[in-house]
Amino acid sequence: MFTKIGNYCKACYDELAHNTTWPTSTELMHNAVVVLSASLIIALVVWVMDTVFKSVMSFVYPS
């Protein structure tokens, strides 16, 4: 049983060390900027929708 686990760990290491193509620092920076920009845009859209919904609800159900 422990030999199977050891073989699995060795195979995982071999895959990561020799067969994986890692991004360059430029590609990594570009992808990080894309993800950050998309996250900010989605957050802004959700905030706008929340504000509009709050205004509509306060108009329909006044306090």
Side-chain angles (χ1 to χ4, degrees):
M1 178 175 156
F2 289 113
T3 57
K4 287 183 180 181
I5 294 172
N7 289 338
Y8 176 76
C9 290
K10 287 177 187 177
C12 288
Y13 173 78
D14 186 52
E15 178 78 24
L16 285 174
H18 303 293
N19 297 335
T20 303
T21 304
W22 297 100
T24 63
S25 61
T26 305
E27 291 172 334
L28 191 62
M29 185 65 72
H30 178 263
N31 290 339
V33 168
V34 168
V35 169
L36 182 62
S37 301
S39 298
L40 290 174
I41 290 170
I42 290 170
L44 181 64
V45 168
V46 169
W47 177 76
V48 167
M49 290 172 60
D50 184 50
T51 304
V52 168
F53 187 72
K54 180 182 174 184
S55 298
V56 169
M57 286 294 111
S58 66
F59 177 73
V60 172
Y61 302 110
S63 302

